[in-house]
Amino acid sequence: MTITSFFYFVYILLGAFIYYLIPLKYQWIELFILSIGFCYLSGNVFSIILPIISTVIAYSSTWLIQNLRINKLKKISDGFPAFIMFVALTVNIVVWFIFKCSGLWKYPLMLLAKRGCGLAERTVGVELISILGLGYYTFQLSGYIIDCYLQIVEPQNNPFKLFLFTTYFPQLTSGPISRYNDLKTMFSGRKFSYHNIAFGTQRILWGMTKKILLADRLSIIINSIVAEPDVYTGFYSWILIVVSPIYIYADFSGAMDIVLGSSEIFGIVLPENFNNPFFARTSQELWQRWHITLGAWAKNYILFPVLKSKTMLGWGRVLKKRLGKKLGKFVVNCMGMFCVWFMIGVWHGKIRYIVGVCLWYWVILMAEDLLAPISARIVNNFGIKSESVGWHVFQSLRTYLLFAIGAAVFNLGVFEGIRVLKDAARVIYKEGYANPWIFFDGSISKLGISYGDLNIIIICLSMMFVVAILRDRVGYARKWIEQQSTGFRWCIWISLFLLVLIWGKYGPGYIESEFIYEGF
Amino acid sequence: MRVFKQIAGFILFFAILGQVFSSTTYLFRRANDGRSRMVGIKNESKLDVVYIGGSSTFDFWQPLRAWNDCGFTSYCLAENAIKPECYKPLAELAEKYNDPQLYVICAYPFNFYSTAEQWIRGFTDSMDLTEKARYDLLNQHYRIRDVDDDTDILSYYIDILEYHENRDNLALEKAWEFLHNEGSSETKGFAWEPYYKYIDPPQRIITDDREDLPEGNLEVLRDFTEYLKMTGKEALFVAIPNVPSNGYRAQYNTIMDAVEEAGFTFLDLNDYYDEIGIDFTNDYYNDSHVNPIGAKKYTQFLENYIVDNYELPDHRDDPLYEDWNRKTEEFYTQEKKIIDTVEKLQDDYRFDNAIAEEIGRTENLAEWYEYVTKDRFTFLIAVNTVRQNPLQMTDRNVFDKIGLEQSIKDTIIIVSGGETVYRDSGRDLEYIEPNESLYSVSLKDGFIYAYGEEIPIDNMAVNVVVLDDERQIIVDKARLECDDNSRIVFNRGIEGY
């Protein structure tokens, strides 16, 4: 059962109907049952077993930590709770690493297998079961364990409630990665709210628009170009580079809209994962607006602990002495950010994500940070109006392009991504290589989409732009629409519904494309 | 008050959304005559007779002729490839909209069962989304039938999932006429089939044997007859006169038992060829379906049978039925044109038969070529290595048209209806007709095979075999050779030829 399927919507609606009928204090039980059901229907029985194991580890470790502190067993050293936390985190992370990062640990085993190691050969051949949401709930639970250790949150005494926190079904497929404090209100129950139902449904509809109207069409373009690299060269590579970020954004944020909308129907607010990332003027700003919860998790549980560790503080003092305050601070920051981006790359599970994507963005962010004073001086000296719309657009486009380079590798893999980037570069420096006529002679329509599809893409992009502007100026578009007249509101929602109904990519004969981030 | 407004707004919004959804569904469904026929039943008020079946109904029964001749109203509630489980829901529809006195049921579809899932859409995707009969049909169908695992059952219940890509419908006037799933059939469900094919009369089979029906069909039949009994209406089950029916006589006996057990009449019209006046060589366009000439005869026989055996009213003087008179006039005007078309096809067929005779006799290559490139004929050419090559003749017009170069060897050419469908050269080359393997050519084996006959290939000649695709017979087999005067001769009289 995917979250764009008809059965999922029936599941949500029936679930919500029962949810609001039962007493508030028992509503979390219904969410618990829905989550187990969702794990089974969308994954397999191991998608229930592994979260149980992870929850048991988290529950028992946090219980132990709390009790050690309460009992103040002086014979047990103060380091013991830290040790328990470390063991619990390690077990969860190792399980996650084995199942989700096989692209990383199988690679050295393959090298060993080639050298004749029988054990390596047998291990490489093992088929691993896909576990729904493993990447998301592992990080979520890890954050919970750390928060309990740091006494930011009180450990959950009810293991079933903790299991619900682990496997809360809307966020199992693509996140977001929530903190315990954000979600613990789900145990209190919610009264029926027509507003929640309406807003949640509207958001789901918007998510469907992005996914089955826009993202699935863009994937056709991307796949067509990638399928025939010798045919589609020159500006086709530029199309690939420019389209990739929009495709990833439409797919991922579409999933988020469906997830957050589903949760909103139950009155549970999940954290946002996107905030108009393409309006960002710098890469740093973009990463504060893109996959926000993963970035926040990495900042809270990797960056801050690394930077505040005794080792790093010691290095910091030494570097500041040797390189000066600014440069010393910059180097320390680099090291901390390297850990963050490396971890983010590992979380995505394949070498191409580490090397080609996350380390690329690390380099860009650090370069931006280093060059920021020079850039400011240039803007000042040339009298550039830094708050003008034109400059803002330039910055956003520049940021977009840098992001797009990484997105191309994210989508295509390291070697294919580099090939495409090289081909795109040839358009600039190699005389006669550019082929701009492809935009005018109907070649685009040979990429597996019709002119009707192109119109839909343009309409969707326009709608997304309007929604983004509204979000930037007045807040959520749905709130703005809510303030308009009834007729206008109904026109919008019915039109959007019709658009999805008629032009959506679904139905018999369609192989439902997975959400990109479902695999993590 | 606020809650009341919210509830009212909620209901109104979803009512509008529901209407938009259903109208969109109706707009995107197929917009063809079959749909007009199915939705047209709602447009009819009271009917005296409803005839339920598949193409074996709407090709055979002419309601407007029956009206003109006998004065009772009838309608063909039928669509292609009807499955047995469709009968009861269709009868439910007819009960709801038309309250007929008599049901005529085509029993032919009960003899077989096709697993092709799509055919059920002809019925379900014409009914209103709120029609109970639609869901009864689907539920029963999926209850008793095994379907492929990859069948998307949901798209049968919510058919916009299937049709939402029919965006071309937005540009079709006819599709917009179906916006509310309303329509009408000008011929009361009858379909004009202006085609003709010569059909050999079937061998009549008489038997008292009983044979089982395909799994599920008898259960469905019994359930249907029970329903008909419950309605208290009369029902006449008919076996249409066609070639395959003769192979189903034992199964028809089983059907007859079930029908008569329920107190209804079973009429096997395969016992009445003479009385109907049906002529298989003239009245059909394939071995299962009549053309309008055959439909006329069928209707005239059956309407008299109905009038003789059932008391039906005669509305011809009733001014309320003026519309039927108007449509009947149009029907007869149309019939004249269509029968002219069919008769022309029959004339063409007979003319082509004469051509076929001539093909096997003519000695003139140009004339021969003109005949064999008509639509109805396929000719096969096999050329092995030749010594005295007739292709080197001075008159090369025809050979150039066929594509036989002077130096050609080890070549097979197939031309069908004047179009080259295959041409290739190669040692030991072979070709097999791709659809039904009706003919093949093997240079390796040295034979041409066609319609069960084996014709040897001569290495010294251009070997040709001409096939009549219509009658599936060989009309000419010859070797083109040179005579002493370097002229092409058709050598037809040798062994194997």
Side-chain angles (χ1 to χ4, degrees), chain A residues 50-323:
Chain A
L50 249 66
I52 290 175
I53 296 171
S54 297
T55 305
V56 164
I57 292 170
Y59 180 80
S60 49
S61 61
T62 54
W63 180 87
L64 209 53
I65 290 170
Q66 187 188 38
N67 275 277
L68 280 173
R69 287 195 175 131
I70 289 171
N71 292 335
K72 291 182 185 171
L73 296 171
K74 294 227 165 85
K75 286 183 184 172
I76 310 287
S77 83
D78 289 338
F80 199 55
F83 174 73
I84 294 169
M85 177 193 72
F86 176 76
V87 169
L89 288 175
T90 304
V91 172
N92 270 340
I93 299 277
V94 164
V95 168
W96 160 74
F97 188 76
I98 291 171
F99 279 93
K100 280 291 180 182
C101 302
S102 59
L104 296 176
W105 58 261
K106 275 192 178 181
Y107 184 69
L109 286 178
M110 272 184 339
L111 294 175
L112 280 173
K114 276 184 188 167
R115 286 170 191 259
C117 176
L119 178 64
E121 204 174 321
R122 284 194 293 276
T123 312
V124 159
V126 168
E127 291 273 344
L128 291 165
I129 301 161
S130 166
I131 307 294
L132 184 70
L134 181 60
Y136 298 100
Y137 73 69
T138 299
F139 272 39
Q140 199 156 285
L141 271 181
S142 301
Y144 166 76
I145 294 169
I146 296 171
D147 283 347
C148 286
Y149 171 76
L150 294 173
Q151 298 181 38
I152 296 172
V153 302
E154 284 289 319
Q156 173 56 249
N157 289 326
N158 187 328
F160 296 101
K161 285 185 178 176
L162 188 61
F163 184 75
L164 173 58
F165 167 70
T166 307
T167 58
Y168 178 49
F169 74 95
Q171 60 182 22
L172 267 183
T173 51
S174 306
I177 301 170
S178 306
R179 294 187 79 168
Y180 181 76
N181 268 342
D182 295 333
L183 278 196
K184 66 181 181 186
T185 54
M186 76 160 75
F187 307 128
S188 336
R190 298 282 184 284
K191 284 188 182 169
F192 175 82
S193 161
Y194 175 75
H195 182 269
N196 286 344
I197 306 276
F199 261 43
T201 311
Q202 288 161 9
R203 189 151 192 184
I204 291 174
L205 181 60
W206 180 234
M208 293 287 286
T209 305
K210 285 194 221 170
K211 170 61 177 166
I212 71 173
L213 235 56
L214 181 59
D216 285 351
R217 280 181 168 80
L218 293 177
S219 76
I220 295 173
I221 296 175
I222 292 171
N223 292 339
S224 298
I225 296 175
V226 165
E228 291 184 89
D230 296 328
V231 172
Y232 296 118
T233 59
F235 271 113
Y236 285 111
S237 297
W238 276 101
I239 291 173
L240 197 55
I241 291 168
V242 168
V243 164
S244 289
I246 304 173
Y247 162 60
I248 299 170
Y249 176 66
D251 189 281
F252 195 4
S253 69
M256 283 299 98
D257 287 323
I258 296 173
V259 163
L260 267 63
S262 306
S263 189
E264 198 168 355
I265 287 176
F266 293 93
I268 297 163
V269 177
L270 292 175
E272 293 287 345
N273 239 352
F274 293 93
N275 180 15
N276 289 344
F278 300 137
F279 280 10
R281 299 164 75 160
T282 63
S283 296
Q284 187 181 25
E285 191 186 346
L286 184 144
W287 286 103
Q288 288 165 354
R289 293 168 174 254
W290 180 285
H291 207 169
I292 298 169
T293 57
L294 179 62
W297 190 95
K299 190 178 72 177
N300 291 324
Y301 300 113
I302 298 175
L303 183 64
F304 288 164
V306 164
L307 290 180
K308 285 179 185 168
S309 65
K310 281 182 190 164
T311 312
M312 199 55 87
L313 286 172
W315 285 359
R317 280 193 290 273
V318 168
L319 285 166
K320 277 176 192 169
K321 263 190 195 166
R322 296 218 173 150
L323 303 173

Side-chain angles (χ1 to χ4, degrees), chain A residues 421-433:
Chain A
L421 291 168
K422 277 177 165 178
D423 192 70
R426 276 191 210 109
V427 169
I428 300 168
Y429 70 77
K430 193 172 176 184
E431 202 176 317
Y433 196 76

Side-chain angles (χ1 to χ4, degrees), chain A residues 6-7 194-195 197 201 217 453 489-490 493-494 497-498 500-510, chain B residues 6 8-10 12-13 16-17 20-21 24-25 28 121 152 154-155 158 160-162 164-165 167 170:
Chain A
F6 177 78
F7 290 110
Y194 175 75
H195 182 269
I197 306 276
T201 311
R217 280 181 168 80
D453 287 324
R489 288 197 329 262
W490 286 8
W493 297 120
I494 291 174
F497 173 74
L498 270 181
V500 171
L501 187 69
I502 296 172
W503 276 279
K505 292 282 185 191
Y506 65 90
Y510 271 114
Chain B
Q6 267 186 349
F10 177 85
L12 185 59
F13 176 77
I16 295 172
L17 194 67
V20 165
F21 178 80
T24 307
T25 301
F28 278 69
R121 288 193 179 279
D152 188 352
L154 185 65
S155 72
I158 307 175
I160 189 67
L161 299 180
E162 168 77 10
H164 74 283
E165 297 239 302
R167 292 188 276 274
L170 294 169

